[in-house]
Structure formats: C-alpha cells, structure tokens
Amino acid sequence: GQQLNQSPQSMFIQEGEDVSMNCTSSSIFNTWLWYKQEPGEGPVLLIALYKAGELTSNGRLTAQFGITRKDSFLNISASIPSDVGIYFCAGQLGQGGKLIFGQGTELSVKP
Amino acid sequence: SQTIHQWPATLVQPVGSPLSLECTVEGTSNPNLYWYRQAAGRGLQLLFYSVGIGQISSEVPQNLSASRPQDRQFILSSKKLLLSDSGFYLCAWSVRIFDTEAFFGQGTRLTVV
C-alpha cells in the first residue's frame, strides 16, 4: 500500500530554535495535511494544503505542498515549550480518499 | 458545538480477554466515524470506518471488529485479545467521508499482558 516517509523521527531542540520536518511519498497526493498530537490526546489538524506549490502559514507554523505533489514540509519558527508533541503528516490521494499518515516526528523543546 | 468522547483512557487487559472500546459524538448528526490504531513509532493506521448505522467497512484483517448500533456511537471490540493488539486506539469523526478535517477523540491506551 501507499506509504509516507516522515523525517526526522524525533527532534530535541532548544527553545527559540526553528524546526523543520518533511514527508515524502512515492505516490502523488492531491492534499497534504499536518496534524499535532499532544501527550495523551488525539491529533488536531494544523494546516491543510490543496495545491502543488501552496505555502500556508498558521502563526509560527508554515507548511508547503511540494511542486511534484510527492512531498511536503512543516516549519516551526521560534519554538516554545508548548510546541512539544508528535507531528504527523497525512496525504490524501483524491477527494474523498482515505488519509495515509506518516510515522510522526516527536518534538521535544528544552526551555 | 461538536464533541467526541472516547473511553476508557487507559486499559490493561490479559491475553484472551474480551475488549470493548466506546466512542460517542455529540452535536452533529450522521457523522462518518473511524477507528485508528497507532503503534509505537508508527503512524495512524485506519482499522474501520462507518458511514451510517450498521454500516462498517474494515480496512485490515485483524482480531478486532467494530459496530455502530446508534448514529453517534461507534464500538471497537474483540472476543479474545492478543498481545499484538496493544496500542493507542483513536476514534474520529468527520462531516464528509474521508474529509480532510477529521476530529479525533483523546484515545485509549490498550496494553495486553
């Protein structure tokens, strides 16, 4: 089946640093999503991307839909302790298609 | 506003025992409902989804089953748990089937011992 490769698997950073994570796939996706899961909670949607090349921001978060439609990245600027959690990418092959999730990037922020 | 409730939050069960996890959604009608499993170091794997009462689609063969006895109730069950059933189980709902925005419950951490 389709797979998403998300990297890095984990990151340990200092408060104030910028963070970058990405997802790649062998398949072309029509939609890319980024979710955040805080400890003991379910994932919450952060950003949705619908067009190749699209760059979207949500506060300190910026995500881009790769031109090839096979990748996406998420950047977090000036990290703060509450950014801690697991960030998941997810791709959707077509409208109404199932979501395929990456393995997650676990982010730890040291104050 | 819509809310999703999932319980219990944690569960430790012996091998061979039955399982019942419950999920309910409030504040909406005819939601599309999903059960996902999250294994350690892995992404979310879709187990079941339902577009209506009594309608269940299974994504992967496994030791689990799902039922939807009421419009806003989704139950994940097993007759006999295996060690490999351990994991974090998430219920979710969306307005349209496989909508880009799905709303997740808080999850159930299941440990089979």
Side-chain angles (χ1 to χ4, degrees):
Chain A
Q2 293 87 10
Q3 282 191 323
L4 290 184
N5 296 311
Q6 185 172 349
S7 64
Q9 286 191 355
S10 60
M11 301 181 75
F12 297 86
I13 63 170
Q14 199 76 28
E15 182 177 1
E17 289 183 3
D18 296 342
V19 172
S20 185
M21 59 193 78
N22 69 83
C23 272
T24 60
S25 171
S26 56
S27 302
I28 292 174
F29 287 100
N30 284 347
T31 303
W32 281 96
L33 307 168
W34 285 93
Y35 282 83
K36 179 188 177 186
Q37 183 181 24
E38 297 190 1
E41 302 284 332
V44 174
L45 183 66
L46 297 174
I47 293 178
L49 303 158
Y50 299 102
K51 290 189 336 186
E54 180 181 353
L55 186 71
T56 297
S57 293
N58 178 4
R60 293 177 295 105
L61 278 61
T62 302
Q64 183 157 31
F65 192 142
I67 290 290
T68 64
R69 295 165 64 193
K70 292 184 178 181
D71 62 332
S72 177
F73 73 74
L74 175 71
N75 286 346
I76 305 173
S77 62
S79 59
I80 59 178
S82 61
D83 290 333
V84 163
I86 302 177
Y87 291 80
F88 289 99
C89 63
Q92 191 174 39
L93 290 170
Q95 192 174 9
K98 296 169 192 144
L99 297 181
I100 309 221
F101 284 85
Q103 304 97 320
T105 295
E106 185 165 8
L107 178 64
S108 301
V109 180
K110 189 176 178 182
Chain B
S1 63
Q2 301 89 1
T3 56
I4 179 168
H5 301 281
Q6 188 180 341
W7 68 93
T10 59
L11 191 59
V12 180
Q13 291 282 99
V15 169
S17 64
L19 173 74
S20 181
L21 302 182
E22 191 162 341
C23 172
T24 59
V25 180
E26 296 177 357
T28 187
S29 296
N30 198 31
N32 294 284
L33 296 170
Y34 313 85
W35 278 110
Y36 285 88
R37 175 167 56 202
Q38 182 179 19
R42 305 287 297 273
L44 281 70
Q45 180 186 34
L46 180 63
L47 301 177
F48 301 95
Y49 65 93
S50 171
V51 299
I53 295 174
Q55 301 180 64
I56 307 295
S57 296
S58 174
E59 281 298 293
V60 292
Q62 59 202 303
N63 185 42
L64 302 167
S65 61
S67 61
R68 185 170 177 174
Q70 299 180 45
D71 181 44
R72 290 170 290 172
Q73 184 184 29
F74 205 22
I75 298 172
L76 184 69
S77 305
S78 173
K79 292 181 180 177
K80 287 185 179 182
L81 283 168
L82 305 172
L83 286 174
S84 57
D85 291 325
S86 293
F88 192 57
Y89 290 84
L90 287 159
C91 179
W93 75 274
S94 67
V95 174
R96 290 170 292 274
I97 187 65
F98 299 121
D99 207 349
T100 52
E101 180 145 31
F103 302 92
F104 287 84
Q106 292 184 309
T108 296
R109 172 75 58 194
L110 171 66
T111 305
V112 182
V113 296

